[in-house]
Amino acid sequence: MSAIAVPARRPVLADAVLPRATWLTDLALVLGGAAFVALLAQVTIPLPIVPITGQTLAVIVVGASLGARRGAAALVTYLLAGLAGAPVFAGLTGSIAAVATPSFGFILGFIPAAFVAGAFAERSWDRRSWKAFLGFVAASIVPFLLGVPYMAMILNVVLGAQYDLAGILQVGVTPFILGGLVKAAIAAVLIPLAWRGVRAVDERA
């Protein structure tokens, strides 16, 4: 019986910048990642049901920079902070009542999205822009897998609206396609550029 080869985890940006990280460093990175998501959450374009925000860009950058586990931990921290009342969600909001809003499923989806972005980065997909873009688009899709069904449940079951499938897609998917591609492209430029900066510093050292 032959063993199945598992690709080795490769360093992500945080590992390259802080090669001798301790658990305290990891904690600081997780908290910093959560704060970064909270900051970009305030960049919003209002829409009737779910606003367009900078959160997805932040989720991708945090996941790719910190790696799968730390990236997901940062988004768990962000989620718990918001539910505890910290004003970290879009519009400087935050409370347990967020679970009853149509957009909450997308926030839940940010956790696996950061993990996916980090998993691609751990396989060095973040070193070249075209591979980074493909990986980041995949990560950008993940929040919709949770967010759209959750939104449909809140709208139709909790709020008593009458959205059919076409209506749900119209308010929960279509408005975000172009923005999602743009944000994935921005991250696919920023992360490889950061890697080039790290390599340039290493070469001068």
Side-chain angles (χ1 to χ4, degrees):
M1 181 181 296
S2 60
I4 299 175
V6 178
R9 176 189 179 279
R10 297 183 181 180
V12 293
L13 267 174
D15 300 320
V17 175
L18 301 168
R20 297 180 180 178
T22 65
W23 71 268
L24 284 174
T25 309
D26 287 340
L27 177 60
L29 289 171
V30 166
L31 294 176
F36 183 64
V37 176
L39 178 65
L40 288 198
Q42 310 317 316
V43 180
T44 63
I45 299 175
L47 291 177
I49 304 297
V50 178
I52 296 174
T53 73
Q55 285 167 304
T56 307
L57 174 59
V59 168
I60 293 171
V61 170
V62 167
S65 300
L66 303 189
R69 293 183 180 180
R70 288 178 301 199
L75 270 298
V76 170
T77 303
Y78 170 76
L79 171 68
L80 295 178
L83 292 178
V88 296
F89 296 153
L92 292 174
T93 60
S95 78
I96 192 66
V99 299
T101 62
S103 61
F104 186 72
F106 293 93
I107 299 175
L108 290 174
F110 289 155
I111 299 170
F115 187 93
V116 169
F120 279 114
E122 289 171 4
R123 288 158 179 79
S124 298
W125 279 50
D126 62 336
R127 313 296 175 91
R128 295 179 179 271
S129 290
W130 70 271
K131 291 183 74 174
F133 178 72
L134 294 177
F136 295 161
V137 167
S140 299
I141 292 172
V142 174
F144 291 92
L145 302 180
L146 288 174
V148 173
Y150 194 99
M151 181 187 67
M153 184 268 293
I154 294 295
L155 290 175
N156 290 339
V157 177
V158 177
L159 300 180
Q162 299 295 323
Y163 282 91
D164 58 11
L165 177 59
I168 289 295
L169 295 178
Q170 185 176 3
V171 299
V173 176
T174 305
F176 305 99
I177 294 175
L178 178 59
L181 293 173
V182 170
K183 285 180 274 190
I186 292 172
V189 171
L190 292 178
I191 299 297
L193 187 63
W195 270 113
R196 285 196 287 272
V198 169
R199 287 193 292 268
V201 170
D202 288 343
E203 289 171 359
R204 293 176 183 176

